[in-house]
Amino acid sequence: MLTLLIREHTRLAYDLAAINPHWNDERLFQESRRIVIAEYQHITYQYWLPLVIGEIMPLYHWKAIFQSIVRKRKRYCKDHKICPVSEELSHNYNEKINPSTMNGFTTGAFRFLHSLVDGNISLVTKNNSIFQTLRLSDYYFRPSIVETDFNFESLLRGLVLQRAQKADSNFHPEISEYLFRLVDEFGMDLLALDIQRSRDHGIPGYNAYRQICGLETAKDFHGLINEISLNNIERLHTVYKHVNDIDLLVGITMENRMPGSLVGPTGRCLIGEQFYRSRYGDKYFYDNANFPHSFTPEQFKEIKKATLAVMICDLGQALTEIQMNPFKIPIYKNTESCSHLPRINLELWRELIETE
């Protein structure tokens, strides 16, 4: 992703220089940076975040048990106004909202993503067949693998086609036993590091965050039964002496996933709250209107064309066909030719020079 974004910044700088040859290097750098940040924010809020905290899904009238669940999910997305981004520039910036990163988010809730890491990385040929599999622990601090032959393109194809691990309390041994392994037989444990980090930061336990997120505070382990399966409760009971001792990350990874999301209610609450703050408390968020740095309405419409699929097609030269949302596994219904994907029209950034 970092390589793709750097390549995108370079591409934009060259194209803007062709359109505005009178711009100096600093202006080209800063304007390209502004567009890349906007593209990154758009991709995150439009395509990635809905998959994590839950998309707005249709109401299934044929199963009454789903009705209340779906309505709650629709209220959650609608009331928080997190995603997706609206069609027009917004006036939702609120100077009273603190956009800083919450400690419980960065040292707890968001680290659930580590459970999605697969310890084996596939290198895929142009005809979508795996020709090599890399063991993650063999390549810590060895980025030269990306530069070898056409491995960057092969890795891109692998990341587009390969499934992530399931979001749960199980972590792949490549990060729970062999993290940062170099010469030694064994490495470190990422989950243990995550848990210790949250303790070093002094954040409250899982039960305290349940209360913050509007769930009932559990008086004992049985009080978790509505959010955590009996099997996972028994696992927690064997490790922790009291329900208040459960670490935030551990509790979140043990929760039953909300329909249409990757996390349970506490995880979704904290992640949703953070992304809400990051959007509405940041006056530089890309859809804000009426600021000196704001995009014009026409430029904003172009920015909304940004997709990870286009970046992979144009900058990786790895695929000729790709799913519209590369965060989803490709199937015959969601793939599209790279040549048919819409691109941003940078002509709207052309600056006319006034002549005497």
Side-chain angles (χ1 to χ4, degrees), residues 277-346:
R277 294 187 183 194
S278 298
R279 177 177 177 181
Y280 292 99
D282 178 13
K283 71 177 181 179
Y284 291 100
F285 194 78
Y286 81 105
D287 74 340
N288 283 327
N290 296 336
F291 285 105
H293 57 264
S294 296
F295 293 107
T296 66
E298 293 76 20
Q299 289 173 338
F300 178 68
K301 288 181 179 179
E302 293 301 312
I303 292 292
K304 284 178 65 65
K305 294 179 182 178
T307 64
L308 181 57
V310 169
M311 284 192 187
I312 292 174
C313 283
D314 291 353
L315 306 173
Q317 299 177 345
L319 299 102
T320 57
E321 189 174 271
I322 192 172
Q323 61 268 41
M324 292 294 292
N325 185 353
F327 298 116
K328 294 182 178 181
I329 289 295
I331 55 176
Y332 72 95
K333 290 183 179 180
N334 70 349
T335 56
E336 182 67 78
S337 170
C338 284
S339 61
H340 294 163
L341 297 175
R343 268 70 172 179
I344 294 175
N345 179 14
L346 289 179

Side-chain angles (χ1 to χ4, degrees), residues 4-16:
L4 281 177
L5 292 171
I6 290 174
R7 289 185 178 187
E8 175 68 353
H9 181 273
T10 303
R11 182 190 71 82
L12 289 167
Y14 276 112
D15 289 350
L16 289 172

Side-chain angles (χ1 to χ4, degrees), residues 60-111:
Y60 297 99
H61 297 287
W62 52 276
K63 280 194 176 181
I65 191 172
F66 283 145
Q67 292 186 4
S68 61
I69 295 175
V70 176
R71 279 197 294 269
K72 288 179 181 178
R73 183 163 67 255
K74 293 178 87 170
R75 283 203 303 269
Y76 183 90
C77 288
K78 182 178 180 179
D79 292 349
H80 286 70
K81 297 179 180 178
I82 305 171
C83 55
V85 177
S86 61
E87 292 297 322
E88 306 294 335
L89 287 167
S90 77
H91 301 82
N92 293 324
Y93 166 66
N94 188 340
E95 63 181 7
K96 296 181 180 179
I97 295 176
N98 186 351
S100 302
T101 305
M102 301 184 301
N103 211 351
F105 168 83
T106 189
T107 62
F110 211 45
R111 295 181 183 271

Side-chain angles (χ1 to χ4, degrees), residues 210-227:
R210 283 172 57 91
Q211 183 180 21
I212 292 172
C213 290
L215 297 175
E216 184 178 350
T217 304
K219 296 180 174 59
D220 52 34
F221 285 94
H222 183 73
L224 306 173
I225 194 64
N226 290 329
E227 289 75 37

Side-chain angles (χ1 to χ4, degrees), residues 8 12 35-43 303 306 311 344:
E8 175 68 353
L12 289 167
I35 296 172
V36 169
I37 291 173
E39 290 178 320
Y40 183 70
Q41 290 177 335
H42 180 69
I43 291 169
I303 292 292
M311 284 192 187
I344 294 175

Side-chain angles (χ1 to χ4, degrees), residues 204-210 224 227-228 246-248 251-252 255 266:
Y206 167 69
N207 205 19
Y209 278 99
R210 283 172 57 91
L224 306 173
E227 289 75 37
I228 299 178
I246 301 173
D247 294 280
L248 174 60
I252 284 176
E255 284 186 331
T266 309

Side-chain angles (χ1 to χ4, degrees), residues 230-249:
L230 182 59
N231 180 56
N232 280 338
I233 289 176
E234 291 174 352
R235 292 171 63 193
L236 291 170
H237 205 177
T238 62
V239 176
Y240 295 98
K241 185 176 181 180
H242 193 276
V243 67
N244 289 338
D245 297 333
I246 301 173
D247 294 280
L248 174 60
L249 175 60

